[in-house]
Amino acid sequence: MSTSKVVYKGDLRTESTHLQSGTVILTDAPTDNHGRGEAFSPTDMVANSLATCMFSIMGIKAKKMDIDLVDSKADVTKVMQAEPRKISEIIVAFEMKANVDEKSKTILERAAMTCPVFLSLHPDIKKTITFNWN
């Protein structure tokens, strides 16, 4: 079964529909690549997917450990290279709101590094991940 349906809307915009939920996501090409930049670009989505995937895997582990990660945040930065145009680095800076011991921090951080997006990204893409625990 398909995961999504993507429709090219013109002017470098796409509309993606998640078939299970009906959720719709728009993408635009970035302004530095002939687009309007009015929505996430496809490469923005890749970088953002890394952070959301890492949160999902940490959330699964945290639930088993009875740890609440609510209100934790991640600042995501995508770095592009020019030739060939591609993502060269994704920087994810986590601000973790859970008050946990060092062992729990280590377990959750290691779990994050096993997320499918992290493991699926090409090894040439530098992944700079930091955790700041409040």
Side-chain angles (χ1 to χ4, degrees), residues 13 16 27 34 36 42 47 52 56 63 71 90 99 109 111 114 117 132 134:
R13 173 171 279 191
S16 301
T27 65
H34 312 287
R36 296 184 294 199
T52 61
S56 295
K63 188 173 185 177
D71 293 329
I90 300 172
N99 187 14
E109 290 175 14
T114 68
V117 172
N132 181 19
N134 294 339

Side-chain angles (χ1 to χ4, degrees), residues 40-129:
F40 281 101
S41 73
T43 53
D44 291 342
M45 294 292 292
V46 171
N48 195 70
S49 291
L50 176 59
T52 61
C53 183
M54 294 176 86
F55 262 137
S56 295
I57 297 300
M58 282 192 292
I60 291 167
K61 183 60 94 173
K63 188 173 185 177
K64 291 177 184 176
M65 298 169 67
D66 199 29
I67 296 171
D68 186 0
L69 299 180
V70 170
D71 293 329
S72 295
K73 297 176 183 163
D75 185 46
V76 180
T77 304
K78 171 195 72 177
V79 180
M80 297 292 290
Q81 77 177 37
E83 292 295 328
R85 186 170 173 81
K86 66 178 185 173
I87 300 169
S88 61
E89 181 178 12
I90 300 172
I91 303 163
V92 182
F94 286 98
E95 292 289 331
M96 305 302 294
K97 297 299 180 185
N99 187 14
V100 297
D101 60 30
E102 290 302 316
K103 181 179 178 183
S104 296
K105 290 176 187 177
T106 300
I107 291 168
L108 292 169
E109 290 175 14
R110 286 185 181 162
M113 301 304 189
T114 68
C115 95
V117 172
F118 187 95
L119 298 175
S120 297
L121 290 170
H122 194 281
D124 286 353
I125 298 175
K126 183 178 179 184
K127 294 165 275 306
T128 303
I129 313 296

Side-chain angles (χ1 to χ4, degrees), residues 5-55:
K5 178 157 306 258
V6 180
V7 178
Y8 182 70
K9 304 300 278 185
D11 293 326
L12 308 180
R13 173 171 279 191
T14 67
E15 180 181 273
S16 301
T17 303
H18 182 252
L19 297 178
Q20 185 175 352
S21 68
T23 301
V24 175
I25 298 171
L26 296 176
T27 65
D28 273 334
T31 55
D32 68 347
N33 198 28
H34 312 287
R36 296 184 294 199
E38 294 175 353
F40 281 101
S41 73
T43 53
D44 291 342
M45 294 292 292
V46 171
N48 195 70
S49 291
L50 176 59
T52 61
C53 183
M54 294 176 86
F55 262 137

